[in-house]
Structure formats: structure tokens, C-alpha cells
Amino acid sequence: AQTVTQSQPEMSVQEAETVTLSCTYDTSESDYYLFWYKQPPSRQMILVIRQEAYKQQNATENRFSVNFQKAAKSFSLKISDSQLGDAAMYFCAWGAQKLVFGQGTRLTINP
Amino acid sequence: DTGVSQDPRHKITKRGQNVTFRCDPISEHNRLYWYRQTLGQGPEFLTYFQNEAQLEKSRLLSDRFSAERPKGSFSTLEIQRTEQGDSAMYLCASISGNGLGEQFFGPGTRLTVL
């Protein structure tokens, strides 16, 4: 069975600084995606960034980038130039036919 | 708004009552998923449909739970004889194609069982 582990229940960062959220996963499948979703308080889940497992190049979306280490089954999210609007729960997810989520990391941005 | 919608957004019920939730996916999406999220946890997969066919059900989906997608468009999730442990956020998501890629989530239905 697939599992996703986020070892940091909470993280905080100063506005404009950089923060990295960790995620490890376990799977025996070869064709899958990895995702970071953001869930602001009382708001719906939205996609931050995704990575196809067959691609070696790390995905980047503006201030968000990932460090995908397939052999180590590691998928971390780096947020550069943190903004107050980045405050949310962040979920790492493994996906093939369905999504398997980690426990989440609550990110606080300090002004 | 052409996103995923869910109704109701909040439901409070007494233990033992039946409840039904509705999800309207993005119109061109053939796959529809249901997840359950308890407080402070990540969502857990419950079941998914490709068009009207229910292709997989989680062990979390006890016999008190039933989901349908009769015409391959909207879906309903019914919980019979609710228990306090059913209190959670029920999320719906949809995607087109073979299910690989970004799932688009609705706002969820928050169920409170008293």
C-alpha cells in the first residue's frame, strides 16, 4: 500500500524568507504523480505544484519549487519569498488512480 | 463558476439519522472522487467513479455508506444510521481522463453528528 509521510506538523517562517516542507512516500508503482496541495483555513484545497514521476527535472511554479529524489522517495516543497497569503495547511499527496495524502504541515508566516 | 460544487456546505444531524450529500463535478470530468478529512488530518480516499461506474471503494466505506453517480454527472454520498465517528469534512474531487494528474476539489461538506 502507498503511504505518504510529512514529518513536520508545523513550520513557521519570516515573511520574504525561504522555507522547505518535507515529504517522503512509499510505493511500488512506477507510473504516478506527486502533488503539493494547499488548504487555507476554511477554504478548499488547491493545487500548488505537481511532479510526474517519470520526469527527472524538478517542477517549478513561480515561487514554488520541488526537490524530487525518486530513489530516496522524497518530495520536498520550497517556498521562496514567503508571503502572508502562503499561510495554510500544506498536504503532500501521491497519485495514480487516487490520491494518498500525508498528515499535513501547518505553515505560519510571521510578518 | 465552473468549479466543483458540493451541497450542503454544513450538516448537523443526530446520531442514528441518515444524511445525503451531493457533488457536482466540473462538467467535462469523467472521474469523480470522494474523500473524508477529519480534523487535523489529511484527506482519506473513500471511493471513485468513472462515468457512472464505481471502480473502487475503500475499506473505510462501511456498509452504512453508499455512493452513486447514476448518470455520470453529479454524485451522491449517503450515510445511514450516522455515528459520532462519522463527523468529518467530506470532500469531492473530479478529473478528466485516466485519473492521472491534478484533481480539482470542491469546498467540502462538514458533517457534525451529535
Side-chain angles (χ1 to χ4, degrees):
Chain A
Q2 292 77 25
T3 59
V4 177
T5 302
Q6 294 178 247
S7 59
Q8 304 154 317
E10 297 184 355
M11 292 283 284
S12 64
V13 63
Q14 290 295 125
E15 193 176 3
E17 296 293 307
T18 296
V19 64
T20 298
L21 308 184
S22 301
C23 173
T24 58
Y25 64 95
D26 192 20
T27 184
S28 57
E29 299 199 22
S30 58
D31 191 12
Y32 57 90
Y33 283 61
L34 294 162
F35 306 88
W36 280 97
Y37 277 89
K38 171 184 177 181
Q39 189 175 43
S42 301
R43 296 182 62 186
Q44 66 198 76
M45 194 92 68
I46 57 174
L47 181 70
V48 174
I49 196 166
R50 76 179 193 185
Q51 173 82 42
E52 292 92 331
Y54 65 88
K55 289 188 177 179
Q56 293 185 333
Q57 186 173 5
N58 290 325
T60 300
E61 288 286 343
N62 301 314
R63 298 181 295 107
F64 300 88
S65 61
V66 299
N67 183 4
F68 174 45
Q69 301 291 326
K70 191 171 184 179
K73 295 181 180 175
S74 170
F75 183 62
S76 61
L77 173 70
K78 185 171 80 171
I79 306 174
S80 303
D81 185 25
S82 298
Q83 300 177 359
L84 295 178
D86 295 333
M89 283 291 289
Y90 285 80
F91 292 99
C92 176
W94 175 98
Q97 302 305 314
K98 63 188 178 190
L99 295 178
V100 177
F101 287 86
Q103 305 92 319
T105 297
R106 182 177 303 280
L107 179 63
T108 302
I109 312 296
N110 300 313
Chain B
D1 185 14
T2 57
V4 179
S5 61
Q6 292 186 245
D7 185 68
R9 295 290 304 276
H10 302 273
K11 178 70 177 180
I12 300 174
T13 191
K14 293 182 179 179
R15 188 176 52 188
Q17 298 295 305
N18 299 343
V19 294
T20 300
F21 310 141
R22 175 179 171 127
C23 171
D24 287 87
I26 293 171
S27 59
E28 62 268 27
H29 287 181
N30 60 327
R31 288 205 173 189
L32 184 150
Y33 293 77
W34 286 99
Y35 295 87
R36 182 171 69 186
Q37 185 179 22
T38 53
L39 202 61
Q41 300 296 314
E44 295 174 293
F45 168 78
L46 292 179
T47 188
Y48 84 93
F49 293 84
Q50 179 161 308
N51 300 313
E52 64 275 9
Q54 188 173 19
L55 295 188
E56 185 176 348
K57 294 192 292 186
S58 164
R59 291 173 300 161
L60 294 174
L61 214 64
S62 76
D63 56 5
R64 296 185 298 106
F65 288 70
S66 62
E68 295 182 342
R69 194 182 184 199
K71 297 182 179 180
S73 57
F74 72 91
S75 175
T76 58
L77 178 67
E78 181 183 16
I79 308 174
Q80 297 182 329
R81 305 181 303 280
T82 53
E83 301 173 356
Q84 288 186 326
D86 297 332
S87 296
M89 177 77 84
Y90 290 83
L91 298 172
C92 177
S94 70
I95 188 172
S96 60
N98 63 3
L100 289 174
E102 176 188 359
Q103 293 187 14
F104 292 83
F105 282 82
T109 294
R110 181 168 296 283
L111 173 66
T112 301
V113 182
L114 301 176

